[in-house]
Amino acid sequence: MRWIALYARSRHLTASLVALLVCAVAFPPLLGDNWSAFFATIALGSAIAVAGVGLGGQDLDLDRTASFRWPPRRLVHLLLIGALAGGVMLAAQGLVESPMDTGWVLRNAAGLLGLTGLAATLFGGQFGWTLPLGWAMVAAFVPKLADEVYDIVAWPMATADAEAAWWMAGLLFVVGTAAYAGAGARR
């Protein structure tokens, strides 16, 4: 059990959990009847992004020389971020007048989680927030042109039944989680 405490401390899991809860729980009631896909996307993206900062350890050389396998631990860490952010966001939907669909929250949590893992792999754990929050912000301002193109580019803003958005979020989830679990965070 000692390695779990050391892992949690080195990854700043307590601070990440608090920040995740603040993002996912504080935004919905503050916005009340103004709650929309835009604010839900920003809230969920922020919750996952702030928790993603802890995906890299303080000493990557020490992490890489450990006597146990890191990929399963990395995968569990990443999936816990997504489960917590998605679960808290689903629970917070009860606090707003027009809640987001459960499928929408799950799809976006998976896609944004994959982006977090990809960002940690490409840029380092401290920059794990860049891709999910960046994509969420860009998606909010993409003009709605053709349905298929919009659903692919702005998948976080697409409706829960948009098939292309599900495919895009799924692809990002698979690529991001596989990259992070296999390679870990960049220096």
Side-chain angles (χ1 to χ4, degrees), residues 75 78-80 82-83 106-118 155 166-181:
L75 180 63
L78 194 61
L79 293 177
L80 279 175
L106 296 176
R107 179 197 68 208
N108 285 4
L112 293 168
L113 184 67
L115 284 171
T116 302
L118 193 58
W155 59 268
W166 276 96
W167 279 103
M168 187 64 182
L171 176 68
L172 291 171
F173 174 75
V174 169
V175 169
T177 54
Y180 178 72

Side-chain angles (χ1 to χ4, degrees), residues 68-169:
F68 49 78
R69 295 178 30 89
W70 277 104
R73 288 164 176 82
R74 288 188 203 120
L75 180 63
V76 167
H77 184 178
L78 194 61
L79 293 177
L80 279 175
I81 290 172
L84 283 172
V88 170
M89 183 59 81
L90 283 173
Q93 295 304 302
L95 305 172
V96 295
E97 291 183 27
S98 21
M100 302 308 294
D101 187 54
T102 301
W104 184 93
V105 173
L106 296 176
R107 179 197 68 208
N108 285 4
L112 293 168
L113 184 67
L115 284 171
T116 302
L118 193 58
T121 304
L122 295 175
F123 312 128
Q126 69 275 22
F127 297 111
W129 60 272
T130 54
L131 290 179
L133 202 54
W135 199 312
M137 293 299 292
V138 168
F141 297 105
V142 171
K144 190 162 186 157
L145 301 171
D147 287 335
E148 286 286 317
V149 174
Y150 178 82
D151 289 346
I152 292 171
V153 175
W155 59 268
M157 300 296 293
T159 60
D161 61 347
E163 189 176 325
W166 276 96
W167 279 103
M168 187 64 182

Side-chain angles (χ1 to χ4, degrees), residues 10-27:
S10 73
R11 299 297 197 267
H12 307 289
L13 292 185
T14 305
S16 292
L17 179 61
V18 169
L20 182 146
L21 290 172
V22 166
C23 290
V25 173
F27 286 147

